[in-house]
Amino acid sequence: MSTSASLTLFFFFFASTFLYANAFNITRILNLNNEFSTFNNLLSQTGLASTINSRQTITVLALSNDAMSLFSDQSTEDNKKSLSLHIVLDYYDIKKLKSLNKKSVILTTLFQSSGQAKGQQGFINATVMKNGDVMFGSAVRGSLLDSKLIDSVATHPYNISVLHISSYIPIMNPEGPSDHGSSSTPLPPQPPNDDDYTIDEPPSPPSSTTKPFVAAATAATAKPPSAAKANSTTSGVSAINAPDLAFAFVISSFWFFMTV
């Protein structure tokens, strides 16, 4: 084998390793713990597992089997909507959540990007309470924070974080609270202005084949472009598209060594 051919193969191997370095599979991750078998099966049945695996940056709020009773009485389509509210379009592990500067953050979910959400239905509120607990709930005004962060199931910084939460987050009536679920922890009083909350906007999709995102907030709450850029930088998620960079590197290397 000639020197140029050997070098070409080396660069192909290097680029392929780089290309798949950030790959993950939510089904395999959850298969390691039978406690999430029902949640895992529903992700596959609804097609959400494939959607999760296609993302470069994601956080999954996983429910244990004993918190999945609601989903047995729903259609596959309704289950897909409900579960998509538990998929956050950014990376959040326990450390990042507990270090929230303003104690609360509004997170954009996969349900919001589906185009089926109304008002604030596709957003969830994550709040660090005075006792240090992290609580989740719908971002619809007046909703309850009744889902507690229990522990971390798996992390792959800064691509995927799987967090165990105590109960499902309901899709609320956009006009106000509905009768879904129960809670003993009320939503903290609404702040006097939007500066007391952080609106987390999802990073750009990894490639042109990924379904485009819907705007991360309504016109009343959306950040200007400069603020969104600053938030993306501080989130710890790289703006570089690794797969596209690797592909360009492979093609350039191949062309160069074929001409040597």
Side-chain angles (χ1 to χ4, degrees):
M1 182 181 293
S2 65
T3 302
S4 61
S6 298
L7 288 173
T8 301
L9 288 175
F10 168 77
F11 277 104
F12 265 104
F13 175 78
F14 173 80
S16 298
T17 301
F18 179 72
L19 179 63
Y20 291 104
N22 293 334
F24 53 79
N25 186 298
I26 185 61
T27 303
R28 292 176 183 173
I29 291 173
L30 292 175
N31 271 342
L32 298 176
N33 195 327
N34 289 332
E35 185 179 4
F36 303 102
S37 60
T38 303
F39 183 83
N40 196 15
N41 289 336
L42 281 181
L43 288 182
S44 296
Q45 291 174 18
T46 57
L48 290 173
S50 297
T51 303
I52 292 170
N53 293 337
S54 71
R55 297 279 175 168
Q56 188 175 357
T57 303
I58 207 88
T59 298
V60 178
L61 304 179
L63 297 165
S64 57
N65 295 337
D66 58 3
M68 294 292 293
S69 58
L70 165 79
F71 297 89
S72 61
D73 298 325
Q74 294 189 153
S75 66
T76 300
E77 184 60 29
D78 285 341
N79 281 338
K80 183 174 183 178
K81 293 178 182 178
S82 296
L83 290 176
S84 64
L85 191 65
H86 295 72
I87 302 169
V88 178
L89 302 182
D90 202 348
Y91 178 86
Y92 276 88
D93 53 21
I94 291 179
K95 181 180 179 180
K96 184 176 179 181
L97 284 169
K98 292 201 171 186
S99 64
L100 292 175
N101 292 330
K102 297 184 178 181
K103 301 301 182 183
S104 292
V105 63
I106 304 301
L107 305 174
T108 308
T109 71
L110 194 61
F111 183 48
Q112 176 65 20
S113 74
S114 72
Q116 297 177 294
K118 299 178 181 179
Q120 294 293 97
Q121 281 185 327
F123 302 93
I124 58 177
N125 181 338
T127 295
V128 181
M129 311 303 286
K130 291 181 179 179
N131 63 0
D133 289 343
V134 178
M135 304 296 294
F136 296 93
S138 171
V140 172
R141 184 174 293 272
S143 300
L144 302 171
L145 292 176
D146 54 1
S147 182
K148 180 181 178 180
L149 173 63
I150 297 177
D151 55 26
S152 176
V153 179
T155 58
H156 184 181
Y158 291 92
N159 300 119
I160 185 170
S161 173
V162 182
L163 301 175
H164 180 195
I165 60 174
S166 62
S167 58
Y168 85 101
I169 302 169
I171 297 175
M172 303 299 289
N173 185 330
E175 303 300 325
S178 70
D179 295 331
H180 292 296
S182 60
S183 174
S184 58
T185 307
L187 183 73
Q190 292 295 330
N193 56 67
D194 290 337
D195 290 338
D196 292 332
Y197 279 84
T198 298
I199 306 294
D200 182 49
E201 298 181 2
S204 299
S207 69
S208 59
T209 57
T210 302
K211 185 177 180 179
F213 296 121
V214 176
T218 60
T221 59
K223 288 186 177 182
S226 59
K229 181 178 180 181
N231 184 62
S232 176
T233 302
T234 56
S235 69
V237 179
S238 172
I240 298 175
N241 190 330
D244 287 347
L245 180 62
F247 179 77
F249 182 78
V250 169
I251 296 301
S252 298
S253 301
F254 178 79
W255 178 257
F256 175 78
F257 286 103
M258 288 299 292
T259 57
V260 173

